[in-house]
Amino acid sequence: MSPPSVRSRVVDRLPRLWALWAASRPSQVALVGLVYLLGVGMSTAGAPLVARSATVSTPADASGAAFTSSVLAGALALLAVTVAVHYANEYGDADTDALTERTPFSGGSGALVRTGLAPLLLRRATLGACGVAGLAIVAVAASGLVPPVAVGLLVAALVAGLAYSLPPLGLVRRGVGELVNATLGGVLLPVYGVAVVATPTATAALATLPFASVVGCNLLATHWPDRRADEAVGKRTLAVRWSPNRIRRAYAALAVTAVAVTAALWWRGVFPVPVAVAHLLAAPLLLRGWAVLTRRPDPLPSVLAMVVTALAATVGWWAVGRGVVS
């Protein structure tokens, strides 16, 4: 018999500690950090994404002390908000996560199911994490390292993230969760990254639409495997409310939107060529995701499409902002 894994030993000996770690969703925290850096990279590219008169540092000085301090402060506050929102989501979904068959990308973290602990643990963790997030927001606002616009976006992310999962709104259970999630992760988060070090323009929000569309594809794919468990507990996601054909049409529309808006933004000079190419790299993965959607519980291609888009776009924007490519 093989010896137990390190994770198994931790689960057995320190179940609460492991459950809190797993419920924070470390892989998703890392993805949030990546999308935040995508937004910061957008800020270094300058106009038309940011107002020239209100930047913390210029693209050429993107390693300066003011820039670095603001980025780190913004990241720490974002980390606190992200963990609070993840705990709230795990607590709000405890009923459906107990019924579904998990995949690596759906069904929650499995923290409560694996440990047998009561949802009360995550309720208390959510309250504590919200307190920490509130203090972090106040601290960065008082420090002056993060501009008021960014602070406002962070507050909006915390409030909307809690409303997504928790009553009385529980937006994910009312058929609007996918829209809220795609807006938070695909638009607000990168714009927050811009706002931490510069004043974002409306064009900056527009520049996030291709990525937000890919996030929407990912949500349709990851919610599909959970549809039966969600329906059993009254969680009315789009995967529950819509027919398989409608889900596939919506996915296709979002994928086409991502490509079409990318082409339009390149044509209008908003996307430099490297950034436009970066946004198109995931097209084959989106096609594969559409091919398997509703036919088998395999959200991996759609998840990879989102991660590849985030990573490639981040590299593209930073490369343009630092003058490596044009």
Side-chain angles (χ1 to χ4, degrees), residues 74-271:
L76 289 174
L78 176 62
L79 173 63
V81 168
T82 301
V83 172
V85 169
H86 285 176
Y87 280 162
N89 185 251
E90 290 280 321
Y91 173 67
D93 282 354
D95 52 355
T96 185
D97 289 347
L99 298 176
T100 194
E101 293 184 11
R102 295 185 63 245
T103 77
F105 309 105
S106 63
S109 68
L112 295 180
V113 175
R114 177 69 189 272
T115 60
L117 294 169
L120 180 62
L121 171 71
L122 292 180
R123 179 182 178 181
R124 292 171 174 169
T126 299
L127 292 173
C130 285
V132 172
L135 291 174
I137 292 172
V138 171
V140 296
S143 71
L145 292 172
V146 175
V149 171
V151 172
L153 290 173
L154 201 57
V155 172
L158 178 60
V159 172
L162 296 177
Y164 173 85
S165 301
L166 300 179
L169 295 180
L171 298 174
V172 70
R173 296 173 180 258
R174 300 176 183 272
V176 295
E178 290 83 354
L179 176 61
V180 173
N181 197 330
T183 302
L184 285 175
V187 179
L188 188 147
L189 177 54
V191 171
Y192 168 72
V194 175
V196 165
V197 290
T199 300
T201 63
T203 302
L206 182 63
T208 67
L209 290 184
F211 176 63
S213 298
V214 176
V215 173
C217 290
N218 167 74
L219 291 168
L220 292 176
T222 53
H223 284 181
W224 178 256
D226 293 336
R227 68 195 184 282
R228 291 192 178 92
D230 288 342
E231 185 175 20
V233 300
K235 184 179 176 182
R236 304 286 290 172
T237 65
L238 294 184
V240 173
R241 297 164 67 94
W242 288 359
S243 68
N245 284 338
R246 190 175 183 184
I247 291 286
R248 290 173 60 80
R249 288 197 299 269
Y251 186 105
L254 287 168
V256 170
T257 297
V259 174
V261 174
T262 295
L265 291 173
W266 167 74
W267 180 260
R268 298 293 296 177
V270 176
F271 276 1

